Structure formats: structure tokens, C-alpha cells
Amino acid sequence: MNADTCTDLVSLLHLRATGDAPGSSYRFLGDGETETTRLSHAQLHHAAAVLGARLGRAFPDARNVLVAYPPGLEFLVGFFG
């Protein structure tokens, strides 16, 4: 599979996570200029998978779940989770 054949964002994240080069892929600039946190594709993929599994266990019959986060990379985890 390559990026051109991915049909959704989760598949693309998985693809990027498995071929992730060292370094950061996502950076959050807390004040708009200074980096406060960073995540690689692999770290984001892992955290999102953990959150997705937890949500699946907590709400097994739910089709939609609202997860609210303050600004930061945790939002990406929630989005992909």
C-alpha cells in the first residue's frame, strides 16, 4: 500500500507510522511560535489506537462519541482515536 491507495486518514496514518523516519511529524506551538510538544507518526498512531480501543470498550454500542480537548497534539490523538 502507498499513500495514493489509502482511502481514509486512519489508513494513511498507519502507513506513515510503519515507515516513520526518526524525528517529529507533528509539532504544537503553544504560543504560536515556541514548540511545546511533538509527536512522530508512530507515536500518534499508537496513542490513537489506545484511545480508540478504550472508547470502544467504554461505549461498545455507540456510533458517535464526543471527545473534547484543549488546543494541542492531544486533539490529533482524539481525532484519529
Side-chain angles (χ1 to χ4, degrees):
M1 180 187 306
N2 62 40
D4 294 332
T5 61
C6 290
T7 58
D8 56 67
L9 289 174
V10 175
S11 298
L12 181 60
L13 177 60
H14 177 73
L15 177 69
R16 297 263 166 90
T18 57
D20 207 6
S24 300
S25 299
Y26 301 95
R27 298 170 189 216
F28 181 70
L29 307 178
D31 61 4
E33 295 182 16
T34 307
E35 180 181 311
T36 56
T37 54
R38 58 175 67 190
L39 285 174
S40 68
H41 284 107
Q43 289 169 319
L44 175 57
H45 183 266
H46 175 75
V50 169
L51 177 61
R54 290 176 76 188
L55 289 172
R57 286 191 304 273
F59 307 101
D61 297 327
R63 294 182 56 195
N64 298 305
V65 176
L66 175 64
V67 182
Y69 287 98
L73 293 180
E74 294 83 9
F75 169 80
L76 284 178
V77 173
F79 179 80
F80 282 100

